[in-house]
Amino acid sequence: MVEEKSKEAAKPGTVRDGKPKKKKGVEVKVKKTPKPKTIKPGTVRYGKRKKVGEKQKIFIEKPIGGEKNGGTRMVRVKKLPAYYATQLNPKRRTKHTKNRFRPLRSSITPGTVCILVAGPHRGKRVVFLKQLARGLCLITGPFKINACPLRRVNQIYLIATATKIDISGCDIPKHINDEYFRRVKVKRAKKEEGDIFEQKKEKYVPSEQRKKDQAVVDKLIVSAIKKREDKKMLFGYLGSVFTLRNKMYPHRLSF
Amino acid sequence: MKVEKKKVTKPIRLYAKAVFTGYKRGQRAQHEKTALLKVDGAKNKDDGRYYIGKRCAYVYKCKKKTPCSYGGKSKLRVIWGKVTRIHGNSGVVRAKFARSLPPRAMGRRVRVMMYPSRI
């Protein structure tokens, strides 16, 4: 009985179980196979192989030297991978460094006088202008008062004081952003004369653009300070430097 | 070194003074990974809490000049660390350093910086 059935089904082009028959051979996929496709038992990978017209060679004969080596070897066209992961697609831990934006402390608002606690301008009292897109704080001395330029600073190096200047009227130029402060890497010529390890320490010279912007911003801030009653005190305050002294303990200080 | 390079400025101190009193220990065994720092003026837990997370530095002098970060060479060396938690009720604080503090630092000055600032 079974034989009869198989004979009937063996006619070419007949449909078995409602699905078209596939050609034998695991590697090759026939281009014109209509969907839905039956997955042939023993198929290791489905759908990942490229549809090729020709059968791809797995092994190639390569000639080798040596008298008694048989002249040729069968070499794989594509080497087997040297590493097989024990877990495919392992769960990657998310990196949080891309989005480094950290919300500002509530004590730091535009116009707050802050004390810089680290860096080349440590101890100076500066004016906080705004938080930039990447999360860093834009501050300025102002430059005329304490030689601190327009600068980006992380808020962890700022101690916010209670003194706040009203800079709501001040329109800080919009081109002053993270890109503006980005360090420009000096590209070295490939053929450099002299020692490669020669340290060329080029001293930083502020660009004309920076000087211009500094003057513009400083003017705004200084005019905001001048509106206050205690402007004399404030100018002196911004010009002076913060330092800890005897019996001054940071945990007891209120700023 | 936190001294300004300009000619006419007094040195400014932006760190709290602390003393390295010893390593974290039980009665008979000490664990050198963690140092105990007694911060000047901190008398209770709340005082100590201010310093958690702050960077600290053990600064010491050596015979040979070694390069320093801002260029040039100096005889000063630093071991950086940070305050990890408070220790006990009296303002003493625990700190972990990049390399464990040397035992000769006991009784000597450690600087507790004011950054990362939380104020």
Side-chain angles (χ1 to χ4, degrees), chain A residues 20-136:
Chain A
K21 230 178 168 181
K22 254 196 161 190
K23 260 195 190 178
K24 271 201 174 179
V26 189
E27 291 95 28
V28 182
K29 260 197 184 177
V30 181
K31 274 187 187 173
K32 294 174 186 174
T33 325
K35 290 179 185 179
K37 302 173 190 172
T38 45
I39 301 172
K40 197 171 172 66
T43 320
V44 178
R45 277 184 167 183
Y46 178 70
K48 285 201 173 179
R49 288 284 186 125
K50 289 183 194 170
K51 291 184 180 176
V52 281
E54 273 183 29
K55 185 174 179 178
Q56 276 206 323
K57 285 187 178 178
I58 308 173
F59 284 97
I60 271 182
E61 249 191 275
K62 276 200 166 176
I64 56 165
E67 284 182 358
K68 301 176 186 175
N69 287 337
T72 58
R73 278 289 149 82
M74 296 298 283
V75 177
R76 278 183 181 267
V77 176
K78 277 192 184 175
K79 278 191 184 175
L80 291 177
Y83 172 72
Y84 291 93
T86 48
Q87 187 186 16
L88 294 173
N89 305 319
K91 189 180 179 186
R92 299 250 173 222
R93 283 192 199 163
T94 47
K95 271 191 175 182
H96 293 287
T97 48
K98 268 194 179 174
N99 184 22
R100 275 183 264 196
F101 182 87
R102 221 166 200 269
L104 263 190
R105 253 177 272 146
S106 56
S107 54
I108 304 177
T109 58
T112 310
V113 175
C114 298
I115 301 173
L116 278 175
V117 143
H121 302 279
R122 58 181 100 62
K124 290 188 184 170
R125 294 179 172 101
V126 296
V127 180
F128 168 77
L129 298 175
K130 67 174 191 173
Q131 186 180 30
L132 299 172
R134 248 189 60 191
L136 298 172

Side-chain angles (χ1 to χ4, degrees), chain A residues 212-230:
Chain A
K212 250 199 265 173
D213 290 326
Q214 186 71 58
V216 164
V217 174
D218 280 0
K219 209 175 174 186
L220 294 169
I221 306 292
V222 168
S223 59
I225 299 174
K226 280 191 176 166
K227 288 180 194 166
R228 291 169 65 110
E229 286 178 344
D230 54 359

Side-chain angles (χ1 to χ4, degrees), chain A residues 105 107 117-118 122-123 156-160 201 241-246 249-251 255, chain B residues 2 4 12-17 40-43 47 50-51 71 114-119:
Chain A
R105 253 177 272 146
S107 54
V117 143
R122 58 181 100 62
I156 61 173
Y157 302 116
L158 289 176
I159 291 182
K201 274 204 171 177
V241 152
F242 172 80
T243 175
L244 287 173
R245 298 209 175 162
N246 260 356
Y249 306 120
H251 64 266
F255 291 93
Chain B
K2 301 288 186 184
E4 305 259 318
I12 48 171
R13 179 164 70 87
L14 286 169
Y15 57 85
K17 297 189 202 175
D40 228 16
K43 286 182 191 161
D47 296 344
Y50 166 87
Y51 296 102
M114 290 170 79
Y115 57 87
S117 162
R118 278 178 283 135
I119 308 172

Side-chain angles (χ1 to χ4, degrees), chain A residues 135-185:
Chain A
L136 298 172
C137 301
L138 177 66
I139 54 150
T140 180
F143 190 76
K144 270 201 172 176
I145 303 177
N146 55 23
C148 179
L150 275 167
R151 211 167 199 271
R152 282 193 302 180
V153 154
N154 197 318
Q155 61 171 312
I156 61 173
Y157 302 116
L158 289 176
I159 291 182
T161 64
T163 314
K164 298 199 195 286
I165 302 168
D166 185 15
I167 60 166
S168 52
C170 300
D171 204 15
I172 296 152
K174 289 193 179 162
H175 65 267
I176 301 178
N177 52 16
D178 283 308
E179 272 304 304
Y180 178 83
F181 289 104
R182 202 161 178 180
R183 280 192 208 171
V184 183
K185 273 193 179 178

